[in-house]
């Protein structure tokens, strides 16, 4: 059955109170294409073909939440493979990327991960979140992790995928300059370029257990496949171009275009061009008794 965007729960309005957004990527048609292709590549190359990489099992009646769902491609791909008795909620601060058609066990809500409904406490078996590096400030990451911990059932899993933004690349000056512009753009918007390095610690501090990081380095050389890691990286920089120009990190379209061409030439000439991605996953402790013991012996 196909539905228009709506919420299944009368008490949760479709448009919740808005928070200020720091998000720096676009929400247009080419972003929809980019995100959907990126989903295929990340699932295949980073997550060994699995939509759920954490050792979580979903059963009849379980609920799954996706934070920053975008086009909902992860939720919809997962909903396709498991029984309709499992329900899914995708939240996002913007509704522009939401799909128009989806099955009846899926809902999409406008909501920030930093402020979830009180009645969602201990509701979800899995919370998935990918690529919020362009949306959350350091303070918001802390709040988001607390909210995710609150809404997971005891024993439930959080999984998160983010890119590693290098501080030094050793590829060449143009590549250095492009990555410096990316880091500056994130910093100017209060965002965090090294979230993968600090996320595990933040999760443990919030009370998560079994914190794991799985990092995969993917080549960015030319490839016969039409959409590959090199294309993904090119599209990522292109999606950041309006922000870079607005912040005057690069002065013009021409300067951006020249930098991009020179950078890609460096990639062709360098034998080992690769960028890495990490899946960070962690489990909410099984019950409060265990948590109390943990606190006493710390
Ligand atoms: C790069 S997109 C990734 C979309 C999707 N997770 C995927 O992997 O295809 C990041 C999404 O996070 C959303 N976002 C940014 N800040 C958010 C927040 N505070 N709460 C919820 N969603 C947010 C953006 O609107 C955008 O749709």
């Amino acid at each position: 059955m196909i539905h228009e965007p709506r919420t299944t729960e009368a008490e949760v309005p479709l448009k919740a109170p808005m928070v200020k957004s720091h998000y720096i990527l676009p929400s247009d048609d080419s972003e929809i294409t980019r995100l959907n292709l990126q989903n295929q590549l990340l699932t295949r190359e980073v997550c060994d073909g699995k939509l759920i990489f954490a050792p979580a099992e979903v059963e009849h009646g379980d609920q799954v939440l996706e934070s920053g769902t975008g086009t909902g491609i992860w939720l919809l791909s997962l909903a396709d493979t498991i029984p309709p008795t499992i329900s899914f909620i995708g939240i996002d601060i913007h509704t522009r990327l939401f799909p128009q058609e989806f099955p009846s066990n899926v809902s999409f809500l406008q909501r920030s991960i930093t402020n979830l409904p009180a009645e969602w406490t201990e509701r979800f078996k899995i919370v998935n979140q990918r690529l919020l590096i362009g949306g959350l400030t350091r303070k918001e990451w802390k709040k988001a992790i607390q909210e995710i911990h609150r809404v997971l059932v005891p024993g439930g899993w959080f999984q998160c995928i983010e890119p590693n933004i290098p501080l030094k690349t050793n590829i060449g000056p143009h590549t250095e300059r492009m990555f410096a512009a990316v880091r500056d753009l994130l910093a100017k918007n209060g965002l965090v370029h090294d979230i993968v390095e600090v996320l595990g610690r933040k999760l443990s501090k919030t009370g998560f257990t079994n914190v794991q990081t799985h990092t995969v380095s993917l080549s960015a050389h030319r490839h016969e496949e039409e959409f590959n890691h090199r294309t993904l990286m090119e599209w990522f920089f292109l999606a950041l171009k309006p922000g870079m120009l607005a912040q005057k990190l690069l002065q013009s379209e021409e300067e951006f275009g020249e930098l991009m061409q020179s950078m890609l030439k460096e990639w062709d000439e360098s034998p080992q061009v690769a960028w890495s991605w990490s899946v960070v996953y962690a489990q909410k402790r099984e019950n409060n008794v265990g948590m109390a013991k943990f606190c006493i012996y710390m």
Side-chain angles (χ1 to χ4, degrees), residues 1-287:
M1 215 200 312
I2 301 301
H3 288 263
E4 290 298 303
R6 53 98 180 83
T7 166
T8 48
E9 300 173 73
E11 79 272 23
V12 183
L14 179 61
K15 282 190 196 286
M18 287 308 298
V19 290
K20 188 177 171 224
S21 166
H22 298 95
Y23 190 57
I24 54 172
L25 286 159
S27 307
D28 53 17
D29 284 354
S30 72
E31 184 67 355
I32 292 178
T33 310
R34 186 182 80 84
L35 290 175
N36 291 347
L37 289 167
Q38 178 172 264
N39 169 65
Q40 287 175 19
L41 192 121
L42 293 181
T43 306
R44 191 181 65 230
E45 308 282 337
V46 179
C47 298
D48 303 341
K50 299 180 217 161
L51 290 163
I52 304 176
F53 191 81
E57 279 173 22
V58 277
E59 293 161 2
H60 294 297
D62 281 344
Q63 299 191 42
V64 175
L65 175 69
E66 187 177 33
S67 154
T69 193
T71 64
I73 185 69
W74 179 85
L75 275 188
L76 296 175
S77 309
L78 185 60
D80 236 16
T81 64
I82 52 183
T85 50
I86 292 156
S87 59
F88 299 86
I89 300 179
I91 59 156
D92 203 294
I93 39 162
H94 298 303
T95 58
R96 281 170 297 197
L97 300 175
F98 282 174
Q100 291 305 307
E101 297 183 343
F102 44 86
S104 59
N105 58 330
V106 179
S107 308
F108 291 98
L109 301 174
Q110 186 173 27
R111 197 88 218 186
S112 171
I113 188 60
T114 56
N115 178 20
L116 299 178
E119 54 285 7
W120 283 7
T121 298
E122 300 203 344
R123 176 174 292 202
F124 298 98
K125 190 72 170 284
I126 297 175
V127 177
N128 183 59
Q129 179 180 286
R130 299 190 311 192
L131 310 162
L132 269 273
I133 194 168
L136 297 178
T137 63
R138 210 169 280 280
K139 252 195 188 154
E140 287 170 337
W141 271 103
K142 186 174 175 197
K143 188 73 184 115
I145 292 168
Q146 287 167 347
E147 284 293 78
I148 289 165
H149 189 263
R150 175 174 69 81
V151 301
L152 277 169
V153 295
W157 287 87
F158 171 51
Q159 72 171 24
C160 177
I161 300 183
E162 293 294 347
N164 293 282
I165 307 286
L167 268 181
K168 184 105 189 72
T169 68
N170 296 322
I171 305 291
H174 302 293
T175 308
E176 293 296 336
R177 177 137 188 257
M178 184 65 98
F179 274 101
V182 173
R183 289 194 307 272
D184 288 349
L185 179 60
L186 292 171
K188 278 181 184 286
N189 286 280
L191 306 170
V192 188
H193 77 269
D194 61 348
I195 189 61
V196 171
E197 280 168 47
V198 295
L199 189 54
R201 210 162 47 243
K202 283 181 187 292
L203 290 167
S204 301
K205 264 174 104 176
T206 310
F208 279 96
T209 186
N210 293 326
V211 181
Q212 305 280 337
T213 302
H214 167 80
T215 298
V216 176
S217 183
L218 300 178
S219 163
H221 270 299
R222 286 187 191 282
H223 199 280
E224 67 278 4
E225 253 180 75
E226 201 181 332
F227 186 81
N228 51 60
H229 189 222
R230 182 191 178 97
T231 346
L232 174 68
M233 292 304 291
E234 278 182 61
W235 284 24
F236 172 63
F237 294 124
L238 276 173
L240 292 175
K241 178 173 72 171
M244 289 181 182
L245 296 180
Q247 293 284 357
K248 304 251 176 288
L249 296 167
L250 294 167
Q251 300 311 315
S252 62
E253 293 262 350
E254 292 68 41
E255 191 183 353
F256 178 89
E258 281 165 23
L259 179 59
M260 188 86 153
Q261 288 317 311
S262 311
M263 179 182 74
L264 292 174
K265 194 158 176 287
E266 282 177 354
W267 292 15
D268 287 336
E269 288 161 1
S270 171
Q272 284 170 344
V273 179
W275 315 114
S276 72
W277 299 79
S278 295
V279 193
V280 182
Y281 54 101
Q283 188 175 28
K284 181 166 174 173
R285 285 172 196 281
E286 283 292 348
N287 56 50

